[in-house]
Amino acid sequence: MKLKQRVVLLCAVLFLLGLAKVFLLDGGEGSAASRRDLRAFRKMEANLALAKGARLTHTLQSPWEVAAQWVGPREVYPDETPELAAVLNALATARVERADVGYKGTQLKALLVLDGGQKVVFKPKRYTRDYVVEGEPYAGYDRHNAEIAAFHLDRILGFRRAPLVVGRFMNLRTEIKPVATDQLLSTFLMHGNNTCFYGKCYYCRETEPACAEGDVMEGSVTLWLPDVWPLQKHRHPWGRTYREGKLARWEYDESYCEAVKKMPPYDAGPRLLDVIDTAIFDYLIGNADRHHYESFQDDGGASMLILLDNAKSFGNPALDERSILAPLYQCCMVRVSTWNRLNLLKGGVLSSVMRQATAHDPAFPVLTGPHLAALDRRLNGVLATVRQCMETQGADNTLIEDRMNLPHP
């Protein structure tokens, strides 16, 4: 066989091997990795529906102790969590021992301590479900239902990097005011027959309070991560400038990812792939406001990127802000496990499992039909972006085998 024929044959073999890898990974059935991901997905599906009113079957530990023991360097809760429904129910019903203002951040929230000493963050309802937030993708108040939906999407994607969140109806007169600090009480006022408060934060104004219907306020409750896992804040490498006319480097430099790859902690370990996972997560929920992120402190870049503060999401179901995907389409790489999970969610599966996952939340319906449809549409956009990367640079360079399932310490 002549040299030229051998080269052609070799190229053909390599091409077919590449196609086979894409087929196996895309189909979700063929390779060992795909079969493993399929089993994980089926397990997630089976555990989606969380019974309302569930309680722990033993009394040796409180729900808060159970949840605290789940946390590890690469997950907030484990793959199998039979007690998850009971912990969420405790978040939605436990007596409030103390209520204070939530100082940090730009948006209104309250810091509560529940029975047993568990800290949580309460974000009040500011919009009706069908309200469309116009303007920039990060515009408007926080959306409490977005926090709930984002937590369940984290479960569905198999990331397990978002703190637990549940909807809750809080009686401000009987549950909050009797245990509130003077700081928080000073921000309460009445609008007609409705009890309102405006709290303390960068954008908190007496003229823009959150108001209950009468005394009962709908909101979301987020479980505070254990104090033994202190957080470290990082500037997001693809963060926006938030200044009109001033672009961040990633917005005009197509080779920006190559520069990021040379900077710690993105030059080694799982952090860059976490950023890309998070870009996919944020694109699906429409969150263009992740200018910073948290990891666990002194982790050497090995811990997960924690999916905190997802309330600037699900604002406009008609807007697909493609710039959120910049880490994906500029780096052109994604975890194999993420790619396999996304493929299992296409064809309307994502909206269906989201509806099922949130069906028993006290704030159901968490998302409207247009927002559920937007999840499916945006998923197609993510899949198309990855396929384009595979076409330009090959599957081997795009799909990265990095599961990083580190054991608990």
Side-chain angles (χ1 to χ4, degrees):
M1 187 180 293
K2 294 181 180 179
L3 179 60
K4 185 176 180 181
Q5 290 174 318
R6 290 177 181 172
V7 170
V8 171
L9 181 61
L10 179 60
C11 289
V13 170
L14 290 173
F15 177 74
L16 289 173
L17 285 173
L19 281 180
K21 178 174 180 179
V22 173
F23 174 77
L24 291 173
L25 293 167
D26 198 359
E29 298 286 350
S31 68
S34 295
R35 288 193 296 273
R36 186 163 64 246
D37 289 327
L38 181 59
R39 285 195 297 271
F41 178 73
R42 296 301 180 214
K43 190 184 297 180
M44 181 278 299
E45 273 191 313
N47 296 324
L48 264 184
L50 300 172
K52 199 169 184 178
R55 297 186 181 278
L56 293 178
T57 56
H58 56 78
T59 56
L60 296 177
Q61 294 176 307
S62 72
W64 322 133
E65 291 171 322
V66 170
Q69 291 175 1
W70 288 341
V71 181
R74 295 296 304 169
E75 61 186 15
V76 174
Y77 51 94
D79 188 21
E80 293 192 56
T81 49
E83 307 96 342
L84 180 59
V87 176
L88 292 175
N89 180 56
L91 278 173
T93 59
R95 178 177 58 86
V96 180
E97 290 184 341
R98 178 179 167 86
D100 200 356
V101 296
Y103 283 100
K104 292 184 178 180
T106 62
Q107 298 287 315
L108 172 60
K109 53 189 169 289
L111 178 62
L112 310 180
V113 178
L114 302 184
D115 187 23
Q118 177 61 53
K119 289 189 287 187
V120 299
V121 175
F122 178 75
K123 293 190 176 182
K125 175 182 177 181
R126 305 300 296 260
Y127 300 113
T128 59
R129 291 291 191 276
D130 57 357
Y131 184 88
V132 175
V133 180
E134 303 286 357
E136 298 290 347
Y138 44 82
Y141 300 122
D142 274 1
R143 277 78 79 176
H144 75 292
N145 59 309
E147 290 280 18
I148 302 166
F151 161 65
H152 288 288
L153 180 63
D154 176 67
R155 292 176 59 211
I156 291 164
L157 292 175
F159 291 164
R160 304 194 301 278
R161 301 170 204 159
L164 277 58
V165 185
V166 71
R168 178 161 179 167
F169 289 84
M170 201 79 70
N171 189 307
L172 299 182
R173 180 176 57 83
T174 62
E175 292 186 84
I176 300 297
K177 294 181 80 171
V179 295
T181 62
D182 290 341
Q183 273 272 51
L184 181 59
L185 278 176
S186 68
T187 73
F188 274 79
L189 49 90
M190 297 296 294
H191 274 196
N193 294 323
N194 298 324
T195 303
C196 311
F197 77 101
Y198 57 91
K200 299 280 185 183
C201 69
Y202 188 81
Y203 289 126
C204 289
R205 304 283 187 274
E206 185 174 354
T207 54
E208 300 179 31
C211 291
E213 293 186 13
D215 291 321
V216 178
M217 174 174 279
E218 179 183 333
S220 66
V221 175
T222 302
L223 187 69
W224 196 274
L225 289 170
D227 290 337
V228 295
W229 291 93
L231 300 181
Q232 182 174 355
K233 195 169 189 176
H234 310 265
R235 182 176 294 278
H236 196 296
W238 277 268
R240 301 171 189 276
T241 66
Y242 295 90
R243 288 152 67 180
E244 189 175 350
K246 182 173 177 56
L247 297 177
R249 179 179 167 184
W250 63 268
E251 293 180 281
Y252 61 82
D253 183 358
E254 285 300 316
S255 63
Y256 176 69
C257 184
E258 295 307 311
V260 173
K261 288 177 181 178
K262 297 172 184 175
M263 302 185 299
Y266 311 106
D267 56 345
R271 187 63 57 78
L272 181 57
L273 287 168
D274 280 3
V275 168
I276 292 168
D277 279 347
T278 303
I280 293 169
F281 176 82
D282 283 340
Y283 180 70
L284 292 174
I285 65 178
N287 177 23
D289 195 44
R290 204 175 295 280
H291 43 82
H292 290 79
Y293 68 84
E294 284 82 12
S295 69
F296 290 130
Q297 208 169 69
D298 302 322
D299 61 3
S303 95
M304 61 188 160
L305 188 164
I306 304 167
L307 297 173
L308 284 172
D309 198 7
N310 303 303
K312 281 293 184 72
S313 311
F314 297 106
N316 187 344
L319 176 63
D320 298 342
E321 182 54 54
R322 182 167 165 76
S323 65
I324 301 171
L325 279 179
L328 174 62
Y329 60 71
Q330 290 182 352
C331 296
C332 256
M333 54 192 289
V334 67
R335 284 188 171 98
V336 169
S337 54
T338 300
W339 172 244
N340 286 341
R341 179 58 62 97
L342 294 174
N343 275 286
L344 291 166
L345 292 167
K346 64 188 178 184
V349 175
L350 177 54
S351 61
S352 175
V353 294
M354 174 62 83
R355 192 181 289 107
Q356 185 183 349
T358 57
H360 295 293
D361 191 273
F364 183 83
V366 175
L367 296 176
T368 62
H371 282 296
L372 290 167
L375 282 172
D376 291 329
R377 185 182 68 245
R378 291 167 187 160
L379 173 58
N380 288 335
V382 174
L383 294 172
T385 300
V386 177
R387 290 192 185 101
Q388 186 175 13
C389 286
M390 288 192 290
E391 288 173 7
T392 57
Q393 66 175 35
D396 287 328
N397 294 320
T398 302
L399 302 175
I400 310 300
E401 184 62 62
D402 174 22
R403 293 166 191 277
M404 293 303 297
N405 290 327
L406 301 183
H408 285 229

